[in-house]
Amino acid sequence: MKVSFSNYALGAGVATSLVNTAPEVRRSTGEALRSPGDLARFLDEHGLSPGPLKSAARPTGDDLRQVHALRGEIRDIMDTHAEDHAVDAANGVLARAGSRPVLLRNAEDGPWQWHVVTSQQASLAEELAVLTGAGMLGVIHTLSHSRFRACTSSTCEGMFIDTSRAGRRRYCTPDVCGNRLNVANHRARRRAGA
Ligand SMILES: [Zn+2]
């Protein structure tokens, strides 16, 4: 797999989505990655299978366990207030899968861009680590560490990386946590003391 540092939004988006599949994020939905099939669907929804991740063709139970562990690591990085510590940890994640820096261009006459390339033997979780690690570091480098934030919904423990131009995103999953009906229902339930 090769990951471009310029396209940090892809890895940051996958990091955000992955963190928000965890059971502690939304009690109403619980664990979103219960089986290898759930993981396959997650990768497919993010255009990673059968796309850039060769290892993603058919996830196994081992892959799922390793991705759950990686998910916890990514959450810890996003939740780290000290910028230097977040960068140290993300550098560690990026160094997996025998990754090395390579200067490549995507088209014959396109601009040269820095990529990180993983070894052929890399596991699914290692490739995801490199993709999300490059995304997180790209955001800190190009935007700011302040783009790692907690969801502002009072019913959600999610986190997200804001790669929008304006940087005013408030919710981890805007369709769910920022849904006006959900917000209004929650306020009504609180008023009713439920
Ligand atoms: Zn949320």
Side-chain angles (χ1 to χ4, degrees):
M1 179 193 60
K2 64 180 196 307
V3 182
S4 162
F5 279 102
S6 308
N7 186 17
Y8 55 79
L10 171 67
V14 172
T16 293
S17 298
L18 184 59
V19 160
N20 295 318
T21 61
E24 66 269 22
V25 170
R26 251 174 259 116
R27 277 185 214 116
S28 55
T29 39
E31 172 65 75
L33 298 180
R34 289 190 195 88
S35 67
D38 290 339
L39 179 55
R41 267 189 299 281
F42 174 88
L43 297 167
D44 193 36
E45 282 165 15
H46 292 81
L48 299 175
S49 176
L53 264 69
K54 288 194 200 77
S55 56
R58 201 164 292 169
T60 64
D62 275 346
D63 288 327
L64 182 65
R65 274 187 291 282
Q66 289 165 17
V67 169
H68 281 167
L70 173 67
R71 180 174 71 185
E73 280 186 276
I74 295 172
R75 174 149 190 137
D76 286 346
I77 293 171
M78 285 168 64
D79 212 6
T80 299
H81 291 288
E83 188 173 331
D84 289 27
H85 292 172
V87 169
D88 277 351
N91 276 332
V93 165
L94 178 67
R96 293 197 192 145
S99 59
R100 61 196 171 88
V102 182
L103 195 62
L104 293 170
R105 49 184 168 197
N106 293 325
E108 208 173 302
D109 53 354
W112 292 103
Q113 288 184 339
W114 283 112
H115 290 71
V116 53
V117 176
T118 59
S119 81
Q120 294 289 331
Q121 291 79 37
S123 70
L124 171 56
E126 285 174 335
E127 289 202 314
L128 272 179
V130 172
L131 176 69
T132 53
M136 290 189 285
L137 290 167
V139 169
I140 292 174
H141 174 257
T142 309
L143 299 171
S144 160
H145 178 240
S146 67
R147 296 298 191 97
F148 293 13
R149 296 195 207 116
C151 183
T152 54
S153 162
S154 53
T155 57
C156 175
E157 301 296 323
M159 296 203 68
F160 64 93
I161 301 175
D162 184 357
T163 55
S164 69
R165 194 177 290 246
R168 292 197 204 105
R169 180 168 163 185
R170 297 174 61 209
Y171 302 108
C172 72
T173 317
D175 289 352
V176 178
C177 308
N179 180 304
R180 277 186 199 174
L181 197 63
N182 281 354
V183 173
N185 284 346
H186 174 69
R187 287 199 184 125
R189 277 197 301 276
R190 263 217 302 227
R191 271 199 301 276

